[in-house]
Each structure stands twice: as C-alpha cells, then as structure tokens.
C-alpha cells in the first residue's frame, strides 16, 4: 500500500479551514486538518509544495515512521506552520489506519475510558447582565461547564472575547475584512478591580455545581496574575486560562506559590518540548494543546501520557479555527485518555459545516459523543467545498491606553 498524493482545500462556511485529503493506491483515503487561524495559506502551501511530494510511495500504515520523517527530517523544527502541516498528515494517516482496521481511531489508541466527553461552551457579554443571560441559555441546553468573559466598565474598548455592544452576535475572534487587524485597548487595572467580583456574582447566581472557566488570554504580569488567581479563589473556577504569556513559564511558579486556582495553558504550544517542564514540575492543572498545532495524534498522545504521570488533565483547544476533522481527532483522544479533563467546543453543529463535513459525532447535554465509524468518522464533500474560497482575515491586536503594544 502506497501514498499516491494528496489534495489541499482552503475555505469553509465563515472559516478558512485547511483540509487535507491524503490518497493511496488502494482507494482508501484519509482526512486531516491544517488550519492555522489567520495564516491559513502558509501550511496549505507547505503541504502542497514540499510535504506531499515527499510522501509519495510511502506506506501510510507506517504512521510513526512518517511522523519521525517529517519532524526529524526538518532541520528547522517545530513552529505553528510546520506542525499544523505535520498534524494534518498524521490525522490523515490515523484515519486511513482506522478504515483499514474497520475500527474507530479511539479503539486503536486503547479503547474507551468513558462514554462521553464533557465540553464547555463560550458565554460572553458586553456587561454582566448579558453574560448571565448567555450562561443561563447554555445551562438550559444541558452544558455542565461554561467559559465566561465579560465587558469591563470603563474599558476603552471590548476586553478579550467580548462584543463591543450588547446584542452584537458577530463572532469576536476574527475579522475577515482584510489582513490589517483591528486594534483593541486594554487596561489591567480596571480588569483586576472588576473581574473578581463579577466571577463571584456568577458563582452566587449559578450555584456550586456549574463549572465556570475564565480566560485571561496572556494579559497579566506574573505578580498581577498571582494576585488575581488568589482573589478569584472564592469563585471556585474549574480553571483560569493563560494568566500570563506562555513564553515565561517560570511565571507560573509565582502563581502556584500564592494561589490554589487551577491553571490551564498550552493552546499556542507546538510540541512536547514546549510543555514538558510545566507538566513535570506540576505548574499547571490542564494542558491545552491542539491536535493540529501540536503535530497530530501521534505526538499529542505522548503529551497526554506524560501529563497523566503528573496529575495534569487534558483540556484540548477547540476554537472555531479547528475544523470538524481536528475536533474529531480530539474526540477520539478524549474518549480514550485516562486523564481527560474537558473539551473546548465552539465549532460544530451549523448546517453549512455539517454539509461540508458530514459525521455521526454529536453533542448532547454538554457531552461530546464520538462516532463509531471507522477512522476519524468524518467525511468531506469536495463538491460542497467548491462553494468556498479563502477570505483574508486577522485576529485583533492589543495596545494599552498610551499606545504601547500588549499581549493578544
């Protein structure tokens, strides 16, 4: 059995998904996701120009050797562009292996550890009242966990993941009006004075059973983050995400010394080597890597195993930039992983997305239930894909009130 080539598709309903279809001489194909949000054409071109031609003639069943070929064979290793491309290939290989074995991928990993995987929704509001309404809506849908982001009074513009005005339902993470990013303004002082009380009010309103999560999105200094983590202890958060920039990993020691609030980090990490110290030193409680950005199922399984040795649970990234293919790969890892924690969920379920990526994966009462179909259990409609083209867009950037660039 040999790889004969592949196709790369860029586009989708409201998203620039990068979809790989890897083909073999026996007619079995595999699907992978290489979407790198707002830089989508880069992994797509890397796949088409460099990687796919190099794979022709290889046996797709040798997924471990192919992953080593990609990673060790790259003199300039890692980075989000390369790892997203490697991740797509690795997903496609596991998809092929599952189809050949007539088994869902989770069975190849070791079988079920649970019947379903708890997911969390994103609730956001321009003010606390609007945020509470959204949380209540998700609770009514059966969610047991909700991430909460709220507008800050007096903030010159919206804080992270918050609409500019009440009732604005446009998605807040990406602007597809061009490559020049929108500029947001941030004030740590206003945030630190307001958010602990807001989280306490949410806890009082929704009671002790609902899991509340909150994302700082790298905005605080280590001292500020340590104080904030201590201040929000009464809110009993399920996790506090990205309290400081991920590059300064020693900053998490300061947080650990001053607070017991669980810490989640890692959505921007690209390999085991980005997070092994954090896991081994037990400076985090949840590892947030994504199967796409971290290079596929093969390396992420190693991260999960290492995390399990150090009381660290999974909390895979699941923003809208992840296509149903990568979400399916994570669903298989979630149902297997003995140290599963929670899954971010903000992508599946729209009619247009379901038409492009048909599958039997389903969300029910805040739980993701994995498909029993062979492989990853996701199909890709190439004719439907013809409806979509790449549309340039960018994340916002952040400045302080005096104009200083800050961390997005």
């Amino acid at each position: 059995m040999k790889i004969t080539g592949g196709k790369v598709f860029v586009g989708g309903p409201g998203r620039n998904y990068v979809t790989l279809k890897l083909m073999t001489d026996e007619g079995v194909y595999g699907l992978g996701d290489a979407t790198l949000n707002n830089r989508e054409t880069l992994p797509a071109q890397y796949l088409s120009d460099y990687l796919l031609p190099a794979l022709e003639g290889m046996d797709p069943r040798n997924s471990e050797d192919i992953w080593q070929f990609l990673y060790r064979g790259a003199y300039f290793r890692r980075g989000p562009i390369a790892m997203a491309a490697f991740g797509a290939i690795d997903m496609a290989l596991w998809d092929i292996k599952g189809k050949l074995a007539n088994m869902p991928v989770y069975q190849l990993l070791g079988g079920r550890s649970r019947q379903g995987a708890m997911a969390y929704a994103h609730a956001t509001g321009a003010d606390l009242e609007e945020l509470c309404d959204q949380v209540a809506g998700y609770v009514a849908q059966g969610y047991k966990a909700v991430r909460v982001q709220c507008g800050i009074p007096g903030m010159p513009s919206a804080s992270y993941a918050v609409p500019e005005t009440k009732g604005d339902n446009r998605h807040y993470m990406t602007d597809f009006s061009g490559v020049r990013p929108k500029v947001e303004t941030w004030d740590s002082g206003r945030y630190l004075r307001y958010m602990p009380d807001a989280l306490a009010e949410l806890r009082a309103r929704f009671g002790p059973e609902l899991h509340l999560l909150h994302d700082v999105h790298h905005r605080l200094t280590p001292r500020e983050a340590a104080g904030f983590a201590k201040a929000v202890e009464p809110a009993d958060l399920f996790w506090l995400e990205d309290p400081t920039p991920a590059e300064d990993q020693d900053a998490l020691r300061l947080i650990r010394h001053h607070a017991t609030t669980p810490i989640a980090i890692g959505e921007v990490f690209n390999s085991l080597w980005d997070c092994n110290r954090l896991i081994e030193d037990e400076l985090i409680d949840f590892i947030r890597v994504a199967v796409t950005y971290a290079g596929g199922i093969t390396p992420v399984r190693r991260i999960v195993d290492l995390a399990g040795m150090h009381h660290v649970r999974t909390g895979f990234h699941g923003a809208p930039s992840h296509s149903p293919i990568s979400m399916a790969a994570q669903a298989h890892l979630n149902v297997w992983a003995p140290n599963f924690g929670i899954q971010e969920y903000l992508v599946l379920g729209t009619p247009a997305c379901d038409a492009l990526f048909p599958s039997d994966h389903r969300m029910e009462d805040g739980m993701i239930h994995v498909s029993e179909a062979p492989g990853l259990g996701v199909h890709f409609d190439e004719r439907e894909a013809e409806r979509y083209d790449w549309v340039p867009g960018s994340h916002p950037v952040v400045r302080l009130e005096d104009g200083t660039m800050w961390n997005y």
Side-chain angles (χ1 to χ4, degrees):
M1 188 176 197
K2 296 181 179 179
I3 295 170
T4 57
K7 299 180 182 178
V8 182
F9 305 82
V10 182
R15 289 284 169 265
N16 290 316
Y17 296 132
V18 180
T19 303
L20 168 66
K21 183 176 182 180
L22 191 65
M23 294 169 288
T24 70
D25 60 353
E26 296 187 14
V28 181
Y29 67 88
L31 297 174
D33 174 38
T35 309
L36 180 61
N37 202 16
N38 302 308
R39 300 293 184 268
E40 301 91 353
T41 56
L42 301 179
Q45 206 67 36
Y46 188 32
L47 281 164
S48 297
D49 290 352
Y50 295 95
L51 300 184
L52 293 178
L55 295 180
E56 290 186 17
M58 289 188 174
D59 188 332
R61 295 167 293 192
N62 297 331
S63 56
E64 180 66 50
D65 181 69
I66 290 174
W67 196 89
Q68 298 294 338
F69 171 80
L70 295 170
Y71 184 82
R72 292 178 182 268
Y75 183 67
F76 298 100
R77 296 179 182 177
R78 295 156 58 181
I81 297 168
M83 295 303 275
F86 299 171
I89 292 169
D90 190 70
M91 281 180 242
L93 295 175
W94 279 90
D95 193 24
I96 290 169
K97 288 158 75 78
K99 291 172 179 175
L100 291 174
N102 197 31
M103 288 183 176
V105 163
Y106 78 80
Q107 292 287 9
L108 305 182
L109 295 170
R112 284 185 180 274
S113 294
R114 61 198 47 80
Q115 294 306 307
M118 181 172 65
Y120 71 88
H122 286 200
T124 182
D127 58 23
L128 188 57
E129 178 186 10
E130 186 176 48
L131 173 58
C132 286
D133 289 343
Q134 276 208 21
V135 174
Y138 283 123
V139 170
Q141 294 176 42
Y143 280 90
K144 301 170 181 64
V146 182
R147 193 190 81 167
V148 292
Q149 307 295 133
C150 184
I152 308 299
M155 191 85 80
S157 65
S159 56
Y160 168 71
V162 172
E164 292 284 350
T165 58
K166 292 185 71 168
D168 183 356
N169 294 321
R170 292 175 299 171
H171 205 278
Y172 42 76
M173 289 185 181
T174 301
D175 179 1
F176 287 104
S177 62
V179 295
R180 189 175 183 87
K182 172 187 172 184
V183 178
E184 296 180 350
T185 304
W186 175 257
D187 186 315
S188 294
R190 287 191 175 97
Y191 171 83
L192 290 168
R193 289 188 292 272
Y194 181 76
M195 205 62 211
D197 289 339
L199 291 170
E201 187 168 337
L202 284 161
R203 174 58 68 204
R205 173 163 176 173
F206 292 99
E209 298 301 321
L210 180 65
H211 298 306
L212 295 176
L213 302 82
H214 179 64
D215 188 358
V216 183
H217 222 250
H218 318 115
R219 302 292 170 87
L220 299 179
T221 66
R223 183 197 60 77
E224 291 169 341
F228 184 74
K230 182 68 175 178
V232 302
E233 281 182 348
D236 190 26
L237 294 180
F238 186 87
W239 78 33
L240 182 65
E241 182 180 346
D242 290 336
T244 58
E247 296 93 334
D248 184 7
Q249 298 188 1
D250 282 335
L252 297 175
R253 297 185 187 277
L254 183 62
I255 300 172
R256 272 289 199 246
H257 290 162
H258 288 84
T260 58
T261 299
I263 301 300
I265 200 166
E267 68 183 53
V268 299
F269 292 164
N270 303 132
S271 79
L272 175 64
W273 304 110
D274 293 322
C275 58
N276 63 308
R277 277 184 52 217
L278 294 179
I279 293 170
E280 291 164 355
D281 293 348
E282 298 178 12
L283 297 178
I284 58 174
D285 302 278
F286 297 89
I287 182 64
R288 292 271 291 135
V289 292
V291 172
T292 297
Y293 305 150
I297 294 171
T298 296
V300 169
R301 183 181 182 181
R302 294 192 177 103
I303 293 173
V304 173
D305 281 335
L306 178 64
M309 295 173 61
H310 294 279
H311 321 290
V312 176
R313 291 188 284 167
T314 63
F316 295 137
H317 194 221
S321 52
H322 298 296
S323 88
I325 297 171
S326 64
M327 292 297 288
Q330 294 183 165
H332 286 280
L333 284 162
N334 288 335
V335 80
W336 155 75
N339 54 322
F340 168 76
I342 200 168
Q343 172 65 57
E344 182 177 17
Y345 183 87
L346 197 65
V347 62
L348 306 180
T350 66
C353 201
D354 290 344
L356 184 58
F357 300 101
S359 83
D360 293 328
H361 297 282
R362 73 184 195 279
M363 167 67 78
E364 188 175 292
D365 293 330
M367 305 283 283
I368 296 175
H369 296 274
V370 71
S371 170
E372 293 295 327
L376 293 176
V378 178
H379 303 284
F380 178 66
D381 190 328
E382 292 187 42
R383 295 185 64 181
E384 186 74 13
E386 294 174 359
R387 297 175 51 196
Y388 303 107
D389 293 312
W390 173 69
V391 180
S394 289
H395 279 130
V397 296
V398 177
R399 293 184 183 272
L400 302 182
E401 287 189 85
D402 67 0
T404 303
M405 282 298 302
W406 203 240
N407 305 305
Y408 179 74

